[in-house]
Amino acid sequence: MTGKDIEQRHEEQLNGGSEKSGIKGYLLHRAKPYLPPWLGAGTIGVTGAAANLVWQGDTGMGVLLTLGSVALTGSTWWAAKGTGKERRLHSAITVAAGSSWFTSAALFGPGWDMWFVGGIVGALSWNVRQVMRRDPDGAKASASDGGLMEKIGLAKAKMGAAKVEPNRVTVPIALDAGTQSNDDMAKALVNVASALDIPATAVRYLPDSNSARRGDLVIVPMDMLADTVRWEEQGPSLPGGSITDPIVLGVYDDGSPLMMWFPGDPNAGRNATNVLIAGMTGAGKGDGALNLMTEILSRKDVVFWLNDPKGFQDFRPLLPGIDWATDATGTETMAEAVLPTVQARTAWLGTHGYRQWCIEASVTQSDPGHSCRTDGTACGCPGMPYLIVWFEEAGVGLSVLGEDAFNNIANLARSGGVGFVVSLQRASHDQLSTTTRDALGTRICFGVQNATAAGFMLPDSVIDAGAAPERWANRRPGYCYLVTPGVDEDRYSSPGRTRWFTPTANSLMEAVAAWAARNGAKPDPITAGAAAKAVGKAYTERARHKEENPEAGDEDEEETVSQLDDEDRDIDPNEELPPARPGEENVVFDQGDGVDLSREEARAALQEIVAEFENEGTMVIGVVDVMEHAERFGRKRGWVSGELQQLLEDGRLAVTSKPGRYRIVPAMADA
């Protein structure tokens, strides 16, 4: 019998009816479970005395009774083979002693002294066994775990009362003190999944931070992520809302929303965050990025910058809503613009009394408590929207910029009301520096190739709790783990799934982008001014994507600000030049190969080349870029390198995060 059966039987015996009343009835009621051994001893005494009257001195019957005693003892031993060793031995000894006394009493007369002592000892031994058999704690543990803890090698561990929620069961675990720890439970999770016949990702263990041997075992019996959800069926979670509202990316495996925040909230105890997204090819990282981007563009108080070396292959329908979008040619330029922009925004927030960006900073500053004036009156400065800077396929950009390129940006972005997003396939140290990775507090980890890649993305505590993105790799696109401020740490090891973008989603994506272009936030003077001062026309004449105008029948197109001076706008480039005036016949427009240029002329030619790069919007250059025009100044690589250093000293160039690369300081930056 199991502990549960024994306990149930005992309760039935205790709760059975009794015809007595009062104290005698109560005593008889409580004594009933312990009477059978005494009744058995009494029955043997009475039947033994009666048998003596019939078989005293009968030799033949003596032989039969002896053989019967041996057979009965052997049968008892055989019948008890399915019980424990102690119970089997106890039963056989009791039967052997009782049958021997009965045989002796029948043939030679009852020995009442032996019967009295032996009966009492035998009955009491069974009473003691019955008392010790009643272990409420053991019975409850056995009933609750069904032997599960024993199956997984943690037999001494105890399971508490389970908390049952929709598609989620939470069971408190108390491991054996001194011999077991939370690490043992974390290692046994695969065995738990095997015992319950469920996927390994459906089981996780959440250790108690105040105990080394207690925690919660969480079981999600049904995978609610198996059925993909199309993004266009629901669209953005909160169109027209604030970036301070939660951003919903999908659902967890128990059906609850998968969500995060960018800005911090002191009242909620939540820090602002930067985001690191990683996942192998085919794991659904692109759809996850679209979920996040469409959420961002549907909010009213955020400006969005995007660098995508792939040329916006996945994000083209969203371009009209993006303030500044650059491809591979603009990676260095945008990277160089971000840090001074962050610093300018941080200074503005500090001047207006904000310790961090909040929604009040996004509107006109009419509160005297947030004024940049010293007289205590409201300053009326334009508000500063939140800024999100996203580097897609950042591994490509980092191969050009260097792995340390994002260090300062990642460390300072949050203080300036900037959300910094880095997306790449593998966040290994050879692509992304440890310093940058540690500053990206939010991790969205899609399927990866192996546990090593998972370790680059997820904290050890989350992996120990059961998170294992390598188990599904790219076989379940969209499955991910989310580690982010504002979400209970218990959720970190719970898998979620982002929504699926199909070709039919393009029209709704275009609608989101059109809304952002018309109603979304525009760059504030501080942000726009800092970017323009850093990279000049690369920002001020950035490509702006028009939305389609059904009434005019125009197609989507890029609009750029003309680089011509106002007085030259009406010049027809196809018109013949006027004849030369007297004295202008000898003007030379082409310097040929530049071999005969003087030092001053070569320097002037180099400065013209730098100016041309600036006019084209190429704000980060190196020796190799300038050498493509070497025929114009007739000098070798060493001379160019030295002259770039001189321009650096003159302030025309500025250093970048990568040695050998220089940022062009816009000619009108000071103005």
Side-chain angles (χ1 to χ4, degrees):
M1 298 176 66
T2 65
K4 181 177 180 180
D5 295 334
I6 294 170
E7 183 69 16
Q8 182 177 357
R9 179 177 177 182
H10 187 75
E11 290 297 325
E12 290 174 352
Q13 291 173 335
L14 289 178
N15 296 328
S18 176
E19 296 179 356
K20 300 287 184 178
S21 60
I23 296 178
K24 292 182 180 180
Y26 171 77
L27 293 176
L28 180 61
H29 181 66
R30 302 300 296 181
K32 284 190 297 182
Y34 306 100
L35 289 179
W38 297 96
L39 295 176
T43 301
I44 291 175
V46 172
T47 56
N52 178 258
L53 299 177
V54 180
W55 296 324
Q56 185 176 10
D58 189 336
T59 305
M61 184 55 66
V63 173
L64 292 175
L65 289 175
T66 301
L67 293 175
S69 298
V70 173
L72 183 60
T73 302
S75 298
T76 302
W77 180 262
W78 174 82
K81 66 179 180 179
T83 63
K85 294 181 179 179
E86 296 82 1
R87 184 180 182 87
R88 188 181 191 188
L89 183 61
H90 192 187
S91 301
I93 291 174
T94 301
V95 171
S99 59
S100 297
W101 186 90
F102 179 85
T103 300
S104 176
L107 298 177
F108 309 109
W112 295 112
D113 293 339
M114 183 176 293
W115 171 82
F116 183 76
V117 175
I120 291 177
V121 171
L124 285 176
S125 69
W126 281 99
N127 287 164
V128 170
R129 185 178 184 87
Q130 189 168 7
V131 170
M132 298 305 294
R133 185 188 300 137
R134 288 195 67 240
D135 182 5
D137 295 334
K140 290 178 181 178
S142 177
S144 63
D145 66 21
L148 175 63
M149 305 310 291
E150 183 177 358
K151 291 179 182 178
I152 65 173
L154 301 174
K156 295 182 179 180
K158 299 293 187 293
M159 300 179 69
K163 178 183 178 182
V164 181
E165 303 171 272
N167 198 39
R168 183 183 177 95
V169 179
T170 304
V171 184
I173 300 293
L175 298 164
D176 186 54
T179 64
Q180 299 169 348
S181 69
N182 288 331
D183 290 340
D184 297 317
M185 188 64 207
K187 295 175 182 177
L189 290 179
V190 174
N191 294 333
V192 174
S194 175
L196 299 177
D197 194 20
I198 56 178
T201 53
V203 182
R204 43 243 183 212
Y205 181 67
L206 309 176
D208 186 341
S209 58
N210 298 318
S211 174
R213 69 179 188 91
R214 296 181 184 275
D216 291 331
L217 179 65
V218 179
I219 302 168
V220 180
M222 183 177 65
D223 185 4
M224 298 185 68
L225 306 179
D227 295 330
T228 57
V229 177
R230 296 173 182 264
W231 173 80
E232 59 268 27
E233 294 178 1
Q234 299 176 353
S237 64
L238 191 62
S242 170
I243 194 65
T244 59
D245 295 316
I247 289 176
V248 180
L249 303 177
V251 295
Y252 284 106
D253 57 353
D254 62 356
S256 57
L258 180 72
M259 60 186 184
M260 59 162 288
W261 291 260
F262 272 104
D265 184 353
N267 297 327
R270 186 184 71 247
N271 292 324
T273 189
N274 299 316
V275 181
L276 175 60
I277 306 174
M280 64 184 298
T281 301
K285 182 168 62 70
D287 279 3
L290 285 171
N291 274 279
L292 185 52
M293 286 186 186
T294 51
E295 287 287 294
I296 293 169
L297 292 176
S298 66
R299 305 304 169 89
K300 63 183 179 181
D301 48 11
V302 59
V303 174
F304 190 25
W305 291 357
L306 171 65
N307 173 254
D308 182 11
K310 294 193 303 182
F312 320 114
Q313 179 180 6
D314 296 328
F315 314 128
R316 187 161 297 277
L318 299 177
L319 287 179
I322 298 175
D323 177 63
W324 187 17
T326 60
D327 56 17
T329 61
T331 300
E332 290 181 292
T333 300
M334 181 173 285
E336 289 301 317
V338 174
L339 185 58
T341 300
V342 169
Q343 294 170 334
R345 289 171 61 91
T346 302
W348 186 91
L349 290 170
T351 302
H352 287 82
Y354 294 103
R355 297 189 62 185
Q356 62 176 302
W357 188 92
C358 57
I359 194 170
E360 289 78 13
S362 66
V363 297
T364 301
Q365 301 301 290
S366 58
D367 182 358
H370 291 290
S371 174
C372 60
R373 295 179 178 175
T374 58
D375 58 3
T377 60
C379 61
C381 291
M384 175 182 287
Y386 197 76
L387 174 64
I388 291 180
V389 181
W390 186 309
F391 282 83
E392 180 65 19
E393 294 295 346
V396 177
L398 288 169
S399 66
V400 176
L401 301 171
E403 64 179 31
D404 297 327
F406 293 155
N407 285 355
N408 292 333
I409 298 174
N411 284 311
L412 299 176
R414 295 183 304 150
S415 61
V418 177
F420 185 49
V421 182
V422 176
S423 176
L424 70 176
Q425 292 188 12
R426 181 182 172 93
S428 53
H429 58 79
D430 59 335
Q431 294 200 70
L432 191 68
S433 73
T434 303
T435 301
T436 301
R437 189 166 62 239
D438 290 345
L440 302 173
T442 291
R443 310 290 177 84
I444 307 177
C445 181
F446 292 86
V448 295
Q449 290 181 329
N450 49 51
T452 301
F456 292 131
M457 285 293 294
L458 301 176
D460 292 341
S461 59
V462 177
I463 293 176
D464 291 341
E470 71 277 8
R471 287 187 180 138
W472 59 65
N474 60 359
R475 293 182 296 276
R476 297 181 181 179
Y479 277 57
C480 63
Y481 290 101
L482 174 63
V483 176
T484 186
V487 174
D488 290 339
E489 294 184 7
D490 295 352
R491 284 286 186 187
Y492 290 174
S493 58
S494 300
R497 190 172 194 178
T498 58
R499 291 169 293 179
W500 182 29
F501 281 73
T502 66
T504 60
N506 286 347
S507 59
L508 183 55
M509 291 168 62
E510 292 169 354
V512 171
W515 182 92
R518 296 172 183 171
N519 307 301
K522 301 300 184 289
D524 59 280
I526 300 299
T527 300
K533 185 174 182 180
V535 296
K537 293 181 179 179
Y539 180 74
T540 58
E541 297 185 1
R542 62 197 182 280
R544 304 305 302 278
H545 299 264
K546 291 182 177 181
E547 58 174 311
E548 183 176 350
N549 185 346
E551 296 180 1
D554 296 335
E555 298 293 333
D556 287 355
E557 60 181 9
E558 293 184 358
E559 176 187 17
T560 58
V561 179
S562 173
Q563 297 182 9
L564 294 174
D565 294 331
D566 291 339
E567 62 270 20
D568 297 332
R569 292 184 185 276
D570 297 329
I571 295 178
D572 184 356
N574 298 318
E575 184 179 348
E576 293 290 337
L577 293 174
R581 298 177 182 178
E584 296 180 342
E585 293 84 354
N586 296 325
V587 174
V588 179
F589 293 96
D590 185 6
Q591 295 291 338
D593 58 7
V595 174
D596 297 329
L597 292 181
S598 66
R599 182 180 181 87
E600 290 72 18
E601 290 173 332
R603 283 184 172 179
L606 178 62
Q607 292 174 352
E608 289 179 3
I609 293 171
V610 172
E612 289 174 6
F613 278 125
E614 179 184 356
N615 289 332
E616 294 171 359
T618 303
M619 301 302 292
V620 179
I621 62 173
V623 175
V624 64
D625 304 296
V626 177
M627 288 303 296
E628 294 178 359
H629 305 271
E631 72 280 357
R632 296 171 58 181
F633 48 77
R635 295 295 188 270
K636 295 183 179 180
R637 189 182 186 91
W639 181 86
V640 172
S641 179
E643 289 300 313
L644 292 182
Q645 287 292 327
Q646 184 61 47
L647 291 176
L648 180 64
E649 295 177 6
D650 295 342
R652 186 67 171 105
L653 300 179
V655 296
T656 67
S657 57
K658 187 173 183 179
R661 303 294 292 175
Y662 305 92
R663 175 174 61 83
I664 299 174
V665 177
M668 297 299 291
D670 293 336

